[in-house]
Amino acid sequence: MSQKPKPSHGLAACPGCAEPLESGDRFCGACGYDLSAVPAAETGPDRPTVAIGTPVNWPDAPPREAGSLSTMTQHPGDLPGTDSGGDFELAAPDPRAAVRVDDPAPAPAREPEAERADGLCVACRAGRVDTDGYCENCGHAQPRERDHMERELGGLAAVSDRGLRHHRNEDAFAVSATTLPDGSPATVAVVCDGVSSATRPDEASAAAAEAAGAALLAALPRGTHPQQAMHEAIVAASEAVNSLAEKAADGEPHRNAPACTIVGSVVADGLLVVGWVGDSRAYWVPDDRAAPAARLTEDDSWAAQMVAAGLMNEAEAYADERAHAITGWLGADAYELDPHTVAFKPDRSGVVVVCTDGLWNYAEGPEDMARVVPPDAAERPLHGARVLVGHALDGGGHDNITVALVPFAVPPQGAGPA
């Protein structure tokens, strides 16, 4: 994830040695890697959002009390809904999804290998590990806690992986479950992607995910409007990232402050609410694959701005090397914060895919994502998230990969707020 335009070959770093690349490079200056050999499938044009229905027109949220995030209780089920009608051809799902493997119970969190009591290298088992996490004997980098993370909770799950090229994982996530004031369940997923060209991107994503998740867990049980809760969660995440910025002598935050993108979803009372800043995305994949999948977010990117402003058509905008440069992010040096929130009321069951570009670069269009989401993802979200991370790794794993799967079930006929 970067705020800078991508080079023409579509890579920010050499696939062979991870050396930073410049626009126009044909070979890596460090290892000689032939950049013209990078398969074209690793990069591709963006595609516009296909809505699953007209977004719900929410009434204005009631005013907040001074110094409080709370609002008057509103039940989203009372609002008029929309459906996800429409149809177009979908290819067969990923064949790997047909193989059912019983997932073991989630393993308890363990200490990183480098911090084990014996202090020995996991590779040579002879050298001691220094404070930077490298073996003093063979130089092997030791596994770190964030290299691969998994969590399954309350019917939803998330998986994050460092990928095959990055030296650390700069993504983070938060998944949780709670209840609304009427006792109905609500599920929350937040995914953040650190901006690699900024300082301490791993800290930025972790702080944003934690703050947004905590804000949603505090707001939803007390009756805050879900869309308002999502907006305020993104604001809380922004404030958490801003607090990481070091101050310059004049009191202003240093340039290139810690930064990240964010995307989150809330499923509650028959509604699907999505919020985001940046180019991390949310997709809708119905259980019935004869129905259309959809992208629910619109990237904050240079190309999307050019198309929206009518200055370029899609082909021109996405052919430009600046196409994937992000125009919105969380951080002290960001432009004015403008959280996007939208709500849908699907008329069928499905699963929400909340992910960073480490996944959607390998399944960009809604129909592409529908192909690789296992058909039983709603019943086995952890297995489904693992399959999606595996798909990105099989495709090259050039970025950190994070995905959360949030099942959405249509409420039974006649069901509503208590």
Side-chain angles (χ1 to χ4, degrees):
M1 179 60 53
S2 173
Q3 296 150 303
K4 300 178 181 179
K6 288 188 177 180
S8 58
H9 40 65
L11 299 177
C14 172
C17 67
E19 184 73 12
L21 300 174
E22 298 294 335
S23 177
D25 285 351
R26 296 178 60 191
F27 298 90
C28 174
C31 70
Y33 190 99
D34 183 359
L35 299 175
S36 65
V38 177
E42 292 182 3
T43 60
D46 196 7
R47 293 186 175 90
T49 298
V50 179
I52 60 175
T54 304
V56 175
N57 292 319
W58 294 80
D60 292 336
R64 296 186 303 182
E65 299 176 3
S68 171
L69 289 179
S70 65
T71 62
M72 295 172 56
T73 300
Q74 297 184 23
H75 293 285
D78 296 336
L79 300 173
T82 60
D83 63 37
S84 53
D87 58 300
F88 53 88
E89 295 292 330
L90 292 178
D94 188 331
R96 292 180 301 177
V99 180
R100 294 188 62 94
V101 179
D102 291 334
D103 293 325
R110 59 183 178 85
E111 296 181 354
E113 298 284 352
E115 298 178 4
R116 286 184 174 179
D118 58 16
L120 294 179
C121 171
V122 298
C124 69
R125 299 302 300 169
R128 309 295 296 184
V129 177
D130 64 21
T131 55
D132 292 330
Y134 291 84
C135 175
E136 295 175 343
N137 177 51
C138 69
H140 189 91
Q142 306 300 293
R144 286 170 289 192
E145 186 176 7
R146 285 182 66 172
D147 282 357
H148 186 88
M149 301 177 291
E150 297 185 354
R151 190 172 189 204
E152 185 172 34
L153 176 69
L156 71 161
V159 176
S160 183
D161 192 272
R162 186 185 69 183
L164 303 179
R165 303 297 183 186
H166 281 233
H167 70 283
R168 65 182 175 187
N169 190 356
E170 297 170 356
D171 288 356
F173 67 80
V175 292
S176 54
T178 186
T179 56
L180 302 181
D182 62 3
S184 59
T187 54
V188 170
V190 177
V191 167
C192 297
D193 184 353
V195 176
S196 296
S197 58
T199 59
R200 295 150 58 204
D202 54 330
E203 295 180 36
S205 62
E210 181 180 1
L216 288 166
L217 282 183
L220 293 171
R222 65 174 176 242
T224 303
H225 195 293
Q227 195 167 12
Q228 180 72 16
M230 178 63 74
H231 178 96
E232 292 170 345
I234 295 176
V235 172
S238 177
E239 293 171 350
V241 177
N242 290 352
S243 70
L244 298 177
E246 297 177 356
K247 302 295 182 181
D250 59 4
E252 293 297 319
H254 281 303
R255 298 184 66 179
N256 204 29
C260 68
T261 67
I262 186 171
V263 61
S265 74
V266 173
V267 170
D269 206 7
L271 282 177
L272 164 58
V273 175
V274 176
W276 74 97
V277 172
D279 66 348
S280 292
R281 295 180 176 179
Y283 292 80
W284 163 256
V285 178
D287 291 342
D288 178 7
R289 298 304 168 84
R295 172 147 69 93
L296 307 179
T297 56
E298 190 69 50
D299 296 344
D300 287 319
S301 70
W302 183 89
Q305 276 198 344
M306 293 300 103
V307 175
L311 300 176
M312 289 184 175
N313 61 37
E314 282 190 33
E316 294 170 335
Y318 289 108
D320 194 286
E321 66 177 12
R322 297 166 290 182
H324 293 277
I326 59 173
T327 57
W329 62 88
L330 305 183
D333 60 354
Y335 304 119
E336 183 178 357
L337 180 64
D338 183 22
H340 311 288
T341 62
V342 65
F344 300 93
K345 194 169 188 179
D347 64 350
R348 65 201 69 190
S349 297
V351 64
V352 187
V353 181
V354 186
C355 64
T356 62
D357 60 348
L359 171 61
W360 66 251
N361 275 330
Y362 301 98
E364 190 169 352
E367 66 278 10
D368 302 319
M369 189 64 72
R371 291 188 192 104
V372 297
V373 172
D376 61 351
E379 289 75 31
R380 298 202 300 161
L382 180 58
H383 168 74
R386 289 170 175 166
V387 168
L388 292 175
V389 169
H391 172 76
L393 292 174
D394 290 346
H398 284 95
D399 201 352
N400 306 144
I401 309 151
T402 302
V403 57
L405 291 183
V406 186
F408 179 96
V410 174
Q413 288 289 338

